Amino acid sequence: MKQILLCALGCALLLACNNEKPAEEKTATAAVAETKTQPVEFADTKYADIGKRGLAALSSGDIDKWMEDLADNAMYRWNSGDSISGKAAITAYWKKRRTEVIDSISYTNDIWLPVKVNEPQQKVQSPGVWLLGWYQVNAKYKTGKRMSQFIHTDYHFDASDKIDQMIQYIDRAPINAAIK
């Protein structure tokens, strides 16, 4: 009889020490985990549509149409460190470039990734919606020379869904060779 009581007491202790959470507590914990904001998440595909629309307008030479999606305080940067500040200055640059330097330009093999950065990884990074775009640029210049290369552009959107930052990663060497 002592053995049965000891065995029953042992089983009771094992059951009492079991850390398994009740099913309803597990469900509540899972629900909290699902609603926790992630550092980065996918954003609405409407931002990819804005990027595509911009490249189509630039390709057709309609700079004013392209500029409709830019904020007045927009900043256009290149990986070289050069930049243009303000929608008016960006518009003037691209109008001159499309009429005096570039004869035609097209974009192919494009890939778009809209993301929302909730928690930047570095202090210098901007939170909010970013559109990452990769595409091949094929340009014919007024010199008659052609240039083709893959370009990566990061677009940041303000609270009004206007582009307030564009950072373009390009290789200037083929462009410089084509405009000589």
Side-chain angles (χ1 to χ4, degrees), residues 69-93:
D69 291 315
L70 262 67
D72 290 337
N73 65 340
M75 176 70 79
Y76 196 105
R77 294 183 173 105
W78 286 273
N79 58 305
S80 64
D82 292 340
S83 65
I84 304 172
S85 183
K87 183 177 181 175
I90 297 167
T91 302
Y93 171 85

Side-chain angles (χ1 to χ4, degrees), residues 37 145 161:
T37 302
K145 295 179 183 175
D161 288 343

